[in-house]
Amino acid sequence: TATGAQRNTIEAHLADMDAAGVSKSILSSGSNALFKNPATLLKDVRLVNDDMAEAVSGHPKRFGMFATLPLPDVDASLKEIAYGLDTLKADGVHLFTSYDSTKFLGDPAFDPVFEELNRRHAVVKTHPVANACCNFQGFDSDLASVIELSNDNVRAIAKVLLSGTASRYPNIRWIWSHSGGTMPFLFERFLRQEDFMKGKAKEVLPRGSMYYFKRFYYETAQGNSPMQLAALLKMIPVSQVLFGSDYPYRPATECVEGLARQRFRPGELRAIEHDNALRLMPALAV
């Protein structure tokens, strides 16, 4: 059976989009497996970004892109922000939820990167990884795929919130993958944590965690079942939900069908599938 990466050609991607009625797809590097070797990290990241830019150049009406940053290398990431956004004209940047299984988004070491992204009012699209913190005996790759990706999502969201990153850098527009992973089921714990933090909560969450939850964006790749959407939409407005396919690992038709099963009011489905993305990234209309 071909892997997702092996299926990922421009022609196959366009065919998948056409089958689902997707007019434009924003490319990003959803797997950190491409960037495991620190010795070649900068070269590998640049290669991926240039390849995506070539696809966009060849099909500007069908593709956009999120430029990958070579974190945890902060200096190189600052250079790649400039290259990706200024030279390649990327629609935003792509970050993984954690790096080296020890540093999550929101770690103070990454502050210079967030300062620059905040200055640029950048869109930051995230994707989870299977964190090595849970590679204990009996926890194989199948279980990691089922459990760990969603859990690393909520770890990063927690770090971004509780470190004060979300409040210190309010111009960053965050997109969390897979409808926020397990986050919608744990939000009550965030609210309780504010009580435990007492005075510190006013410093790192001056408007309360729910304010930031409702400002984040959530894309629906592998997060479009009735149960997931019901939980997410109890927390946040439809205006913060974006269509996502997770192609080439899942077909775009899966998200189309999942969203169609949800009972949306008139205009809400169009907002998720079209209008919200254009409001967030107006250049997509070009």
Side-chain angles (χ1 to χ4, degrees), residues 130 135 139-150:
N135 285 345
F139 198 93
D140 56 29
S141 60
D142 292 335
L143 284 172
S145 178
V146 170
I147 298 171
E148 266 308 293
L149 296 180
S150 288

PDB file of all heavy atoms in Angstrom, residues 130 135 139-150:
ATOM      1  N   ALA A 130       3.925  12.995  17.389  1.00  0.00           N
ATOM      2  CA  ALA A 130       3.876  11.936  18.395  1.00  0.00           C
ATOM      3  C   ALA A 130       5.051  12.144  19.343  1.00  0.00           C
ATOM      4  O   ALA A 130       6.196  11.847  19.008  1.00  0.00           O
ATOM      5  CB  ALA A 130       3.941  10.563  17.749  1.00  0.00           C
ATOM      6  N   ASN A 135       6.594   7.380  24.865  1.00  0.00           N
ATOM      7  CA  ASN A 135       7.088   6.155  24.237  1.00  0.00           C
ATOM      8  C   ASN A 135       7.472   5.131  25.305  1.00  0.00           C
ATOM      9  O   ASN A 135       8.597   4.678  25.411  1.00  0.00           O
ATOM     10  CB  ASN A 135       8.311   6.462  23.353  1.00  0.00           C
ATOM     11  CG  ASN A 135       7.899   7.140  22.069  1.00  0.00           C
ATOM     12  OD1 ASN A 135       6.732   7.140  21.720  1.00  0.00           O
ATOM     13  ND2 ASN A 135       8.861   7.721  21.381  1.00  0.00           N
ATOM     14  N   PHE A 139       3.583   1.062  24.149  1.00  0.00           N
ATOM     15  CA  PHE A 139       2.981   2.191  23.432  1.00  0.00           C
ATOM     16  C   PHE A 139       3.618   2.235  22.048  1.00  0.00           C
ATOM     17  O   PHE A 139       4.641   2.862  21.828  1.00  0.00           O
ATOM     18  CB  PHE A 139       3.239   3.488  24.187  1.00  0.00           C
ATOM     19  CG  PHE A 139       2.318   4.600  23.787  1.00  0.00           C
ATOM     20  CD1 PHE A 139       1.148   4.829  24.484  1.00  0.00           C
ATOM     21  CD2 PHE A 139       2.615   5.403  22.712  1.00  0.00           C
ATOM     22  CE1 PHE A 139       0.294   5.859  24.127  1.00  0.00           C
ATOM     23  CE2 PHE A 139       1.779   6.441  22.330  1.00  0.00           C
ATOM     24  CZ  PHE A 139       0.609   6.669  23.042  1.00  0.00           C
ATOM     25  N   ASP A 140       3.014   1.518  21.103  1.00  0.00           N
ATOM     26  CA  ASP A 140       3.622   1.408  19.782  1.00  0.00           C
ATOM     27  C   ASP A 140       3.130   2.516  18.865  1.00  0.00           C
ATOM     28  O   ASP A 140       2.364   3.391  19.263  1.00  0.00           O
ATOM     29  CB  ASP A 140       3.353   0.028  19.179  1.00  0.00           C
ATOM     30  CG  ASP A 140       1.856  -0.283  19.102  1.00  0.00           C
ATOM     31  OD1 ASP A 140       1.047   0.657  18.979  1.00  0.00           O
ATOM     32  OD2 ASP A 140       1.507  -1.481  19.154  1.00  0.00           O
ATOM     33  N   SER A 141       3.581   2.485  17.609  1.00  0.00           N
ATOM     34  CA  SER A 141       3.276   3.562  16.678  1.00  0.00           C
ATOM     35  C   SER A 141       1.791   3.661  16.372  1.00  0.00           C
ATOM     36  O   SER A 141       1.279   4.754  16.104  1.00  0.00           O
ATOM     37  CB  SER A 141       4.068   3.368  15.381  1.00  0.00           C
ATOM     38  OG  SER A 141       3.725   2.130  14.770  1.00  0.00           O
ATOM     39  N   ASP A 142       1.086   2.526  16.400  1.00  0.00           N
ATOM     40  CA  ASP A 142      -0.358   2.581  16.149  1.00  0.00           C
ATOM     41  C   ASP A 142      -1.066   3.366  17.243  1.00  0.00           C
ATOM     42  O   ASP A 142      -1.934   4.202  16.965  1.00  0.00           O
ATOM     43  CB  ASP A 142      -0.939   1.168  16.073  1.00  0.00           C
ATOM     44  CG  ASP A 142      -0.445   0.411  14.846  1.00  0.00           C
ATOM     45  OD1 ASP A 142      -0.085   1.085  13.859  1.00  0.00           O
ATOM     46  OD2 ASP A 142      -0.424  -0.825  14.867  1.00  0.00           O
ATOM     47  N   LEU A 143      -0.700   3.107  18.493  1.00  0.00           N
ATOM     48  CA  LEU A 143      -1.310   3.851  19.593  1.00  0.00           C
ATOM     49  C   LEU A 143      -0.910   5.317  19.548  1.00  0.00           C
ATOM     50  O   LEU A 143      -1.718   6.195  19.868  1.00  0.00           O
ATOM     51  CB  LEU A 143      -0.901   3.238  20.939  1.00  0.00           C
ATOM     52  CG  LEU A 143      -1.602   1.931  21.313  1.00  0.00           C
ATOM     53  CD1 LEU A 143      -0.962   1.346  22.562  1.00  0.00           C
ATOM     54  CD2 LEU A 143      -3.081   2.158  21.545  1.00  0.00           C
ATOM     55  N   ALA A 144       0.317   5.588  19.139  1.00  0.00           N
ATOM     56  CA  ALA A 144       0.751   6.985  19.029  1.00  0.00           C
ATOM     57  C   ALA A 144      -0.118   7.738  18.040  1.00  0.00           C
ATOM     58  O   ALA A 144      -0.514   8.878  18.278  1.00  0.00           O
ATOM     59  CB  ALA A 144       2.222   7.041  18.616  1.00  0.00           C
ATOM     60  N   SER A 145      -0.423   7.093  16.909  1.00  0.00           N
ATOM     61  CA  SER A 145      -1.250   7.746  15.905  1.00  0.00           C
ATOM     62  C   SER A 145      -2.656   8.006  16.423  1.00  0.00           C
ATOM     63  O   SER A 145      -3.245   9.057  16.164  1.00  0.00           O
ATOM     64  CB  SER A 145      -1.318   6.866  14.646  1.00  0.00           C
ATOM     65  OG  SER A 145      -2.152   7.446  13.674  1.00  0.00           O
ATOM     66  N   VAL A 146      -3.198   7.060  17.181  1.00  0.00           N
ATOM     67  CA  VAL A 146      -4.570   7.196  17.682  1.00  0.00           C
ATOM     68  C   VAL A 146      -4.657   8.237  18.788  1.00  0.00           C
ATOM     69  O   VAL A 146      -5.591   9.046  18.834  1.00  0.00           O
ATOM     70  CB  VAL A 146      -5.087   5.831  18.200  1.00  0.00           C
ATOM     71  CG1 VAL A 146      -6.412   5.993  18.941  1.00  0.00           C
ATOM     72  CG2 VAL A 146      -5.255   4.862  17.041  1.00  0.00           C
ATOM     73  N   ILE A 147      -3.680   8.260  19.687  1.00  0.00           N
ATOM     74  CA  ILE A 147      -3.785   9.059  20.909  1.00  0.00           C
ATOM     75  C   ILE A 147      -2.883  10.282  20.919  1.00  0.00           C
ATOM     76  O   ILE A 147      -3.318  11.395  21.223  1.00  0.00           O
ATOM     77  CB  ILE A 147      -3.455   8.180  22.142  1.00  0.00           C
ATOM     78  CG1 ILE A 147      -4.452   7.031  22.257  1.00  0.00           C
ATOM     79  CG2 ILE A 147      -3.452   9.012  23.417  1.00  0.00           C
ATOM     80  CD1 ILE A 147      -4.075   6.006  23.297  1.00  0.00           C
ATOM     81  N   GLU A 148      -1.605  10.083  20.592  1.00  0.00           N
ATOM     82  CA  GLU A 148      -0.611  11.099  20.909  1.00  0.00           C
ATOM     83  C   GLU A 148      -0.724  12.372  20.089  1.00  0.00           C
ATOM     84  O   GLU A 148      -0.405  13.456  20.580  1.00  0.00           O
ATOM     85  CB  GLU A 148       0.799  10.520  20.788  1.00  0.00           C
ATOM     86  CG  GLU A 148       1.347  10.016  22.092  1.00  0.00           C
ATOM     87  CD  GLU A 148       1.249  11.070  23.175  1.00  0.00           C
ATOM     88  OE1 GLU A 148       1.924  12.104  23.090  1.00  0.00           O
ATOM     89  OE2 GLU A 148       0.467  10.880  24.105  1.00  0.00           O
ATOM     90  N   LEU A 149      -1.137  12.284  18.836  1.00  0.00           N
ATOM     91  CA  LEU A 149      -1.220  13.502  18.038  1.00  0.00           C
ATOM     92  C   LEU A 149      -2.222  14.478  18.647  1.00  0.00           C
ATOM     93  O   LEU A 149      -1.949  15.674  18.781  1.00  0.00           O
ATOM     94  CB  LEU A 149      -1.596  13.166  16.596  1.00  0.00           C
ATOM     95  CG  LEU A 149      -0.566  12.334  15.833  1.00  0.00           C
ATOM     96  CD1 LEU A 149      -1.042  12.070  14.412  1.00  0.00           C
ATOM     97  CD2 LEU A 149       0.788  13.028  15.807  1.00  0.00           C
ATOM     98  N   SER A 150      -3.387  13.961  19.039  1.00  0.00           N
ATOM     99  CA  SER A 150      -4.387  14.828  19.657  1.00  0.00           C
ATOM    100  C   SER A 150      -3.902  15.371  20.995  1.00  0.00           C
ATOM    101  O   SER A 150      -4.176  16.520  21.351  1.00  0.00           O
ATOM    102  CB  SER A 150      -5.699  14.067  19.845  1.00  0.00           C
ATOM    103  OG  SER A 150      -6.338  13.872  18.606  1.00  0.00           O
TER     104      SER A 150
END
